[in-house]
Amino acid sequence: MRARYGVPLKVTAGITAVGAAGIAYAAGFEARSYRLRRVTVPVLAPGARPLRVLQVSDIHMVGGQRKKQRWLQSLAGLRPDFVVNTGDNLSDTEAVPEVLDALGPLMEFPGAYVFGSNDYYGPMFRNPARYLLEKVQGKTGLNGNPPAVNVIHNPWEDLRDGFDQAGWLNLTNTRGRLKLDGAEIAFTGLDDPHIKRDRYAEVAGGPETGADVSIGVVHAPYLRAIDAFTADGYPLILAGHTHGGQLCIPFYGALVTNCDLDTKRVKGLSTHSTSPSTRSYLHVSAGCGTNRYTPVRFACPPEVTLLTLTARD
């Protein structure tokens, strides 16, 4: 027997089975296959001792994600010099206690943070194909799209209070410093460009003097943000948001970044220039979670990054 339009039923069944297997793998295995990425970045003065920074991003915690919570707790065993959280911790209005519990051991270390759109607002279901369509149309975030209406408001104030109580620096459109044993780290942070909360004019002026290194921190790596950091002379910029593309094609890579950054730099360490004389290192975390309505990853496992800052040549 043959299906309509001449497609054999065996072929139809085979395609369905392969699709189902792919979804099962992407949701049941890869989305929970947590990895540690290790990166070395030469941004310190000659002769400076290395510094280890753990970047955590895009947790998108949903109640009951015990494996993710245990894995995040275990990262304290890495003993970083400091921690940077680049936002989107929530994907559940009830998940603040679980985020704070998961990050509790890491909050014993010095740290800093910015928020992403999903810290402020709950996720909504979107057809994944819309990301491709918006890329073609040049629409990303609130750039060309209508403002969100009827959104769920997350209890981000409780998350902020928990981080602040632990002594982490709130870098929401402001600057801050961490004094470590024998080193001082200066930060300049922005609120999330994806929802147009970034205010670079309030923090412009370039790196501060007297610090061992100055780091720009932002959730979504929109070009207007990383251009500004680079033009002002920041040696290192940390961001998240992209999920590394989340659904990637093996041996090809990401199809979208959910911002105006190119797909070649959707995750990992790269460089960014605004002129022949300016260059910054940019590290984009692929994050360790997903939107609760699209809990799948393919060819892009969830991750946290341990960056070792070393002396420049």
Side-chain angles (χ1 to χ4, degrees):
M1 182 181 293
R2 300 178 67 85
R4 294 181 64 189
Y5 310 112
V7 179
L9 288 178
K10 290 183 179 180
V11 173
T12 303
I15 293 173
T16 301
V18 170
I23 293 173
Y25 168 83
F29 176 75
E30 186 162 333
R32 303 171 70 245
S33 180
Y34 303 108
R35 312 289 175 87
L36 178 68
R37 179 188 293 270
R38 295 177 184 266
V39 174
T40 299
V41 194
V43 291
L44 302 180
R49 75 170 181 89
L51 295 170
R52 303 200 311 158
V53 51
L54 188 72
Q55 183 186 356
V56 180
S57 195
D58 296 88
I59 296 171
H60 289 283
M61 187 69 77
V62 175
Q65 293 182 327
R66 305 302 181 202
K67 182 177 181 179
K68 182 189 293 184
Q69 293 170 44
R70 291 193 300 269
W71 179 70
L72 287 168
Q73 291 169 343
S74 73
L75 296 174
L78 296 169
R79 309 297 300 176
D81 291 293
F82 60 99
V83 179
V84 176
N85 182 314
T86 43
D88 270 10
N89 297 275
L90 300 173
S91 199
D92 184 343
T93 58
E94 305 295 326
V96 169
E98 293 180 66
V99 171
L100 296 177
D101 181 63
L103 295 179
L106 287 176
M107 288 192 287
E108 298 297 321
F109 300 93
Y113 69 94
V114 293
F115 281 153
S117 60
N118 278 212
D119 293 308
Y120 298 114
Y121 305 112
M124 299 176 64
F125 175 78
R126 302 186 79 216
N127 185 334
R130 286 185 60 183
Y131 291 101
L132 289 171
L133 177 62
E134 290 173 358
K135 177 183 178 181
V136 172
Q137 296 174 336
K139 297 179 179 180
T140 51
L142 294 184
N143 174 25
N145 292 336
V149 295
N150 299 321
V151 295
I152 298 170
H153 289 264
N154 280 334
W156 63 270
E157 298 93 341
D158 296 339
L159 192 63
R160 175 203 61 196
D161 292 346
F163 289 167
D164 290 352
Q165 186 175 1
W168 280 10
L169 297 175
N170 184 339
L171 298 177
T172 304
N173 292 324
T174 191
R175 295 171 177 258
R177 287 197 179 209
L178 288 179
K179 293 185 178 181
L180 309 176
D181 183 20
E184 189 166 354
I185 315 300
F187 298 95
T188 300
L190 292 177
D191 209 346
D192 191 6
H194 192 59
I195 49 176
K196 292 190 174 180
R197 294 176 68 115
D198 53 314
R199 303 288 184 270
Y200 194 83
E202 297 179 9
V203 296
E208 300 180 24
T209 60
D212 291 272
V213 66
S214 292
I215 302 174
V217 183
V218 65
H219 173 65
Y222 277 77
L223 291 178
R224 67 175 182 270
I226 60 176
D227 280 350
F229 279 131
T230 301
D232 267 353
Y234 286 86
L236 176 61
I237 306 164
L238 301 180
H241 175 70
T242 65
H243 297 190
Q246 190 166 330
L247 298 174
C248 299
I249 298 176
F251 309 111
Y252 177 82
L255 297 176
V256 297
T257 63
N258 199 21
C259 64
D260 56 1
L261 186 70
D262 57 277
T263 54
K264 291 182 179 179
R265 297 184 291 170
V266 70
K267 66 179 178 181
L269 186 68
S270 62
T271 58
H272 186 73
S273 297
T274 55
S275 73
S277 61
T278 61
R279 188 188 77 160
S280 297
Y281 284 102
L282 170 66
H283 183 266
V284 179
S285 171
C288 58
T290 65
N291 181 308
R292 68 181 303 166
Y293 296 112
T294 52
V296 293
R297 280 180 177 255
F298 192 80
C300 184
E303 65 180 39
V304 161
T305 305
L306 183 67
L307 298 100
T308 301
L309 312 185
T310 60
R312 299 184 297 272
D313 292 338

